[in-house]
Amino acid sequence: MTRESSLGLVPTMGALHAGHLSLIRRARSENAAVAASIFVNPLQFGPHEDLAKYPRTFDDDCAQLECEGVDLLFAPAPEEMYPRRHGIGPQTMVDPGAIATRLDGASRPGHFIGVATVVAKLFHIVQPDRAYFGQKDAAQLAVLRQMARDLNFDLELIACPIVRDPDGLALSSRNRYLSEAERRIALAIPKALTHLQMRICDGERRSSVLLREGEAEVRAQAGLALDYLEVVDPDTLLPVAEAVPGTLVAIAATVGNTRLIDNFIAA
Ligand code: AMP
């Protein structure tokens, strides 16, 4: 697809921040037109998760998208995406299989079925040539790459680097849940990852050692509950014994009621 006629899509759940905007700018630079979507997808939230209180800042999001020169915004209501027919909600789901049970999929059962289903629908509705996703959600990227391959979506998936605040915390719509004290606690997440990145640079590639050290760093931080720290293949999300170049080191941890994720790709 030539740049002159191509369409780039940036799917989001709104509450936009500079991470989202980096995806939009990348899409802008590589396509003739850019579409963004804002949809807080109920299918990807578990029953005890934050669907109801997920930040919704629609007017502010629209202003930012306009500033960035986005050509088209798709912001459907839940009933539009998932109409009830004969009194029942959506029945057909996209199940990515085993990969959907790894990393976040292990702690959030059904999450990636919800993600794959909504993204498949967005791809069909918007028909982009390229779709842009953040490396921040590394497991999501792996699931969607597999889905696009398995279901023959005729588009390119583009992974964009993680955007961070100056203190190192990866930007996330959920950061606005954090109190000042919680935010300070959350900084142990990028700190642990930086430590592991440096250990890998210094030549320590054994996953067992990296995991032991990383887990010790996180557990030393009071108020931070580790959900997972894993050294995995970035395509299958299966654990690997050594962090070779390209290996994904991913973490999820909870501060108060806020679950945060972060990762890096080993050099
Ligand atoms: P969300 O609105 O959280 O579903 O995110 C929409 C897209 O923005 C996803 O592809 C995310 O991976 C991406 N994204 C979220 N946070 C960041 C970040 N800090 N840096 C880069 N991309 C991000």
Side-chain angles (χ1 to χ4, degrees), residues 18-103:
H20 298 112
L21 300 186
S22 74
L23 270 53
I24 286 170
R25 285 177 196 155
R26 174 85 180 267
R28 179 87 277 165
S29 74
E30 295 179 352
N31 299 278
V34 175
S37 62
I38 296 179
F39 182 60
V40 183
N41 174 33
L43 277 193
Q44 71 188 66
F45 286 78
H48 305 295
E49 293 183 357
D50 56 345
L51 172 63
K53 69 164 194 157
Y54 193 83
R56 288 163 171 89
T57 57
F58 189 69
D59 292 343
D60 185 51
D61 293 348
C62 289
Q64 295 197 61
L65 294 176
E66 210 168 324
C67 252
E68 295 296 329
V70 166
D71 300 284
L72 186 146
L73 169 62
F74 180 54
E79 315 78 74
E80 199 179 339
M81 278 303 255
Y82 303 120
R84 295 178 74 78
R85 297 192 179 91
H86 311 296
I88 50 172
Q91 297 296 295
T92 307
M93 304 283 161
V94 177
D95 186 345
I99 197 171
T101 65
R102 298 173 190 147
L103 299 191

Side-chain angles (χ1 to χ4, degrees), residues 7-228:
L7 175 64
L9 170 66
V10 181
T12 81
M13 297 205 300
L16 299 183
H17 51 65
H20 298 112
L21 300 186
S22 74
L23 270 53
I24 286 170
R25 285 177 196 155
R26 174 85 180 267
R28 179 87 277 165
S29 74
E30 295 179 352
N31 299 278
V34 175
S37 62
I38 296 179
F39 182 60
V40 183
N41 174 33
L43 277 193
Q44 71 188 66
F45 286 78
H48 305 295
E49 293 183 357
D50 56 345
L51 172 63
K53 69 164 194 157
Y54 193 83
R56 288 163 171 89
T57 57
F58 189 69
D59 292 343
D60 185 51
D61 293 348
C62 289
Q64 295 197 61
L65 294 176
E66 210 168 324
C67 252
E68 295 296 329
V70 166
D71 300 284
L72 186 146
L73 169 62
F74 180 54
E79 315 78 74
E80 199 179 339
M81 278 303 255
Y82 303 120
R84 295 178 74 78
R85 297 192 179 91
H86 311 296
I88 50 172
Q91 297 296 295
T92 307
M93 304 283 161
V94 177
D95 186 345
I99 197 171
T101 65
R102 298 173 190 147
L103 299 191
D104 307 281
S107 353
R108 305 181 68 189
H111 171 66
F112 285 129
I113 293 179
V115 169
T117 302
V118 78
V119 172
K121 284 170 74 78
L122 289 171
F123 285 174
H124 282 307
I125 294 165
V126 179
Q127 300 269 311
D129 302 291
R130 299 190 184 90
Y132 294 80
F133 295 92
Q135 178 61 40
K136 161 142 182 298
D137 296 78
Q140 168 172 284
L141 252 174
V143 166
L144 294 177
R145 278 203 192 101
Q146 182 197 277
M147 179 194 78
R149 245 188 350 257
D150 286 351
L151 299 185
N152 306 89
F153 280 99
D154 184 19
L155 50 78
E156 209 181 330
L157 244 68
I158 315 268
C160 302
I162 301 177
V163 177
R164 298 176 180 281
D165 268 330
D167 60 10
L169 192 66
L171 295 186
S172 163
S173 302
R174 289 189 166 98
N175 288 356
R176 61 187 82 198
Y177 296 151
L178 300 173
S179 67
E180 244 176 71
E182 287 175 333
R183 208 195 139 85
R184 275 195 298 277
I185 292 170
L187 287 177
I189 296 172
K191 197 166 146 261
L193 290 184
T194 304
H195 169 79
L196 295 180
Q197 240 170 336
M198 279 170 16
R199 294 287 284 129
I200 292 171
C201 268
D202 290 345
E204 179 54 79
R205 295 198 170 266
R206 290 168 296 175
S207 301
S208 55
V209 176
L210 296 169
L211 290 175
R212 198 166 55 236
E213 291 185 12
E215 284 172 12
E217 283 240 350
V218 173
R219 294 197 200 289
Q221 173 62 64
L224 190 61
L226 184 62
D227 176 355
Y228 67 72

